[in-house]
Amino acid sequence: MSTPADAGVRLWLLWKQVSELVRASVVADVIESSDLSEPEMTVLVHLNGSGGTARQNALAASTGWDRTRLSHLLTRMESRGYLSRARLRNGVEVTLEAAGAEVIARTEPPLAAAVERHLTGRLSAAQQQALRDILETLRS
């Protein structure tokens, strides 16, 4: 006999399976046309979306990564010329550089197409809004 707990576990497993499938499909489509890793793409999308600059702590919060992982990634990205970091009195500011802006400008169209193909294009407007509402609730 199935219990409410079993139903909850099945829902969680379905969510895990679908979220990983969509994530992997989008990433595979984008990485195929770019020399970025998924974490690099994530940082550049966040930086670009924030107007080209963000505090390192804000990037850590928005990506859900610990500070050490992010710091190592930013060091690699800085060596590739994608971004720069400046130590401020109360933190570190990360700035998108020309090379990073160029890469993200080339990456965003395939990213948008992949998101449309694997996620938003498969949902009605009402389903997209419901999903957005659910995810915002779960995030808080």
Side-chain angles (χ1 to χ4, degrees):
M1 179 171 4
S2 183
T3 68
D6 293 337
V9 169
R10 283 194 310 276
L11 181 60
W12 174 73
L13 289 172
L14 177 61
W15 170 75
K16 270 184 55 117
Q17 179 186 30
V18 171
S19 65
E20 179 56 26
L21 176 66
V22 170
R23 187 202 64 77
S25 297
V26 168
V27 168
D29 284 4
V30 175
I31 298 303
E32 182 178 295
S33 64
S34 167
D35 65 343
L36 291 175
S37 68
E38 179 184 3
E40 289 171 332
M41 180 179 63
T42 300
V43 166
L44 290 177
V45 167
H46 281 283
L47 269 179
N48 195 48
S50 68
T53 61
R55 292 297 182 104
Q56 190 165 322
N57 283 345
L59 281 173
S62 66
T63 59
W65 299 333
D66 67 61
R67 291 179 189 172
T68 302
R69 175 185 181 194
L70 180 62
S71 182
H72 288 298
L73 175 63
L74 294 178
T75 297
R76 288 192 305 273
M77 293 178 74
E78 195 168 21
S79 72
R80 293 178 78 180
Y82 292 158
L83 55 86
S84 62
R85 289 184 284 180
R87 181 158 300 282
L88 304 175
R89 225 178 36 181
N90 57 351
V92 175
E93 185 174 74
V94 182
T95 302
L96 185 64
E97 294 296 333
E102 182 181 309
V103 169
I104 200 62
R106 286 192 321 263
T107 302
E108 283 187 327
L111 176 59
V115 168
E116 171 72 18
R117 184 170 33 264
H118 299 292
L119 180 64
T120 57
R122 300 177 73 181
L123 302 173
S124 69
Q127 288 172 318
Q128 288 179 43
Q129 186 58 53
L131 180 58
R132 185 176 294 105
D133 292 346
I134 290 165
L135 295 175
E136 290 292 342
T137 297
L138 293 174
R139 183 170 66 173
S140 59

